[in-house]
Amino acid sequence: QAKAHSKNSYQYFCREINAATQDQLALEAAMRRGIDEGEFSLHYQPLIDLFSGTVIGAEALLRWTRADGSSIPPDRFIPVAEENGLIHPLGQWALREACRQNRAWQEAGYPRIKMAVNISGFQLRRSDFVPLVGSILLETGLRPGDLELELTESSLMENSEVNVLRLHALKALGVSLSIDDFGTGYSSLSYLKRFPLDVLKIDRSFITDVPRGEHDRVITEAIIAMAHRLGLKVLAEGIETADQLLFLKRHRCAMGQGHFFSEPLPAGEFARFLGHHSRLCPRSSTSSGSYD
Ligand code: C2E
Ligand code: MG
Ligand code: MG
Ligand code: MG
């Protein structure tokens, strides 16, 4: 009886694994095809100076819309791309396209902003990553200071000795570095001093319950204070309400992003938003601003 049972569950288990592998393989094949056929694009979410309400940057976020019109979110396809190696062509395409787009906005006369690009730990781990960034900057003509690379705590810690050197090499190119989803990865804070970082991005999960949730309020306050003490700039992710904005301003968090200001937008819509919410266009920013 016990044997029969375990045989059944074994078969059941195999079927489950098989189905998961099939799904994975199908997704991988679709991803390869999607890359070739231009199904991937970038959306841009405005990064906001919380005190002036102006746009100071954009975060480039990958989007995958398939031929049938359905879309697959990055939280689903990035891990798969990391497993099958497609993160390299995809990440390289995203970096080049984001740099090209930022330069194109500058040439079209829009105010200069920073372009933030998410970098997977798998990309950072390649020894040719720094030269790749250098050549993309040369090729697109974007000033290094107008590019920011977003790295995660876990990807920095994976190979921390090499990464310290690699991050210094990136700093030598002139790009800025931020740490994404701060507070959700390794809890060791000592690395913050070892890496030459510029910006700390507080993960959305802490901002969600601010200012009502006492826990998250305390954590958010502490992260902001610590960032300041370490000489880092701080940006809050996932701002959705005026209360959250007020709380963050009170604690002198200078930058943020979130649906309260704007969702990630296709390039054309982002440019329009930038035109309306930039320091150089005070008239339009007061007439159409949804925030102060
Ligand atoms: P992330 O880098 O932390 O990006 C912020 C995510 O929060 C984005 O999700 C954005 O749409 C979402 N978000 C922004 N404001 C709000 C808000 O007010 N409320 C809520 N609920 N969500 C908000 P998205 O675009 O689905 O991307 C998810 C993750 O996928 C990113 O998290 C990033 O880790 C990864 N990703 C996206 N594009 C790339 C890429 O080009 N390369 C790599 N390596 N990863 C990427
Ligand atoms: Mg990010
Ligand atoms: Mg993030
Ligand atoms: Mg995230």
Side-chain angles (χ1 to χ4, degrees):
Q1 161 110 52
K3 216 171 186 180
H5 174 76
S6 76
K7 192 177 173 204
N8 277 339
S9 57
Y10 174 76
Q11 282 175 344
Y12 175 73
F13 194 54
C14 280
R15 261 203 311 276
E16 289 279 281
I17 289 184
N18 250 321
T21 310
Q22 293 292 318
D23 279 359
Q24 199 84 342
L25 288 175
L27 194 59
E28 177 178 339
M31 203 179 289
R32 264 178 220 287
R33 217 175 317 117
I35 292 174
D36 290 342
E37 301 192 350
E39 291 176 4
F40 288 86
S41 64
L42 290 176
H43 279 196
Y44 301 91
Q45 187 174 37
L47 307 180
I48 306 291
D49 174 330
L50 298 185
F51 290 96
S52 67
T54 57
V55 180
I56 48 174
E59 176 173 1
L61 294 158
L62 270 169
R63 293 292 178 262
W64 181 13
T65 308
R66 300 176 63 179
D68 65 2
S70 67
S71 62
I72 299 178
D75 284 333
R76 173 116 196 277
F77 68 75
I78 296 282
V80 177
E82 289 179 332
E83 247 175 70
N84 64 28
L86 287 174
I87 191 65
H88 297 290
L90 201 55
Q92 190 170 325
W93 176 80
L95 180 61
R96 181 175 287 112
E97 176 60 14
C99 290
R100 187 203 60 74
Q101 181 63 76
N102 198 17
R103 183 74 193 121
W105 283 326
Q106 293 173 357
E107 287 187 322
Y110 287 97
R112 258 176 91 181
I113 58 166
K114 209 156 247 193
M115 177 61 72
V117 181
N118 292 284
I119 301 297
S120 157
F122 289 81
Q123 294 174 273
L124 184 65
R125 211 175 297 159
R126 282 224 171 152
S127 59
D128 61 354
F129 182 67
V130 180
L132 174 72
V133 173
S135 67
I136 286 176
L137 287 168
L138 278 178
E139 180 193 316
T140 57
L142 185 70
R143 274 167 285 211
D146 296 339
L147 175 65
E148 186 162 290
L149 302 179
E150 297 195 359
L151 310 160
T152 60
E153 292 169 82
S154 40
S155 73
L156 290 182
M157 293 310 289
E158 265 159 22
N159 197 359
S160 64
E161 299 304 313
V162 175
N163 284 339
V164 170
L165 299 176
R166 204 152 282 166
L167 263 53
H168 277 286
L170 288 167
K171 287 304 299 174
L173 284 180
V175 305
S176 353
L177 301 174
S178 65
I179 183 127
D180 203 358
D181 303 340
F182 184 79
T184 60
Y186 281 73
S187 48
S188 154
L189 298 176
S190 62
Y191 75 89
L192 275 180
K193 283 198 305 197
R194 296 176 42 222
F195 296 108
L197 301 165
D198 301 281
V199 179
L200 192 158
K201 299 187 72 173
I202 308 174
D203 191 67
R204 170 159 58 88
S205 59
F206 298 108
I207 307 303
T208 308
D209 289 330
V210 155
R212 248 160 301 160
E214 190 189 342
H215 250 95
D216 289 339
R217 201 171 57 224
V218 170
I219 291 170
T220 300
E221 280 182 47
I223 293 176
I224 296 169
M226 182 190 64
H228 287 157
R229 292 293 292 273
L230 290 168
L232 296 170
K233 290 190 261 180
V234 56
L235 181 147
E237 299 190 281
I239 303 174
E240 292 183 349
T241 70
D243 281 351
Q244 292 169 336
L245 174 60
L246 195 64
F247 173 87
L248 290 162
K249 284 166 81 169
R250 259 200 212 116
H251 291 89
R252 315 218 60 75
C253 175
M255 301 185 288
Q257 68 189 95
H259 296 169
F260 182 73
F261 304 106
S262 170
E263 294 184 4
L265 303 169
E269 285 175 45
F270 180 90
R272 209 167 324 132
F273 189 92
L274 176 59
H276 285 152
H277 302 278
S278 72
R279 210 159 300 165
L280 300 184
C281 314
R283 247 182 303 129
S284 41
S285 81
T286 48
S287 61
S288 67
S290 54
Y291 51 89
D292 60 332

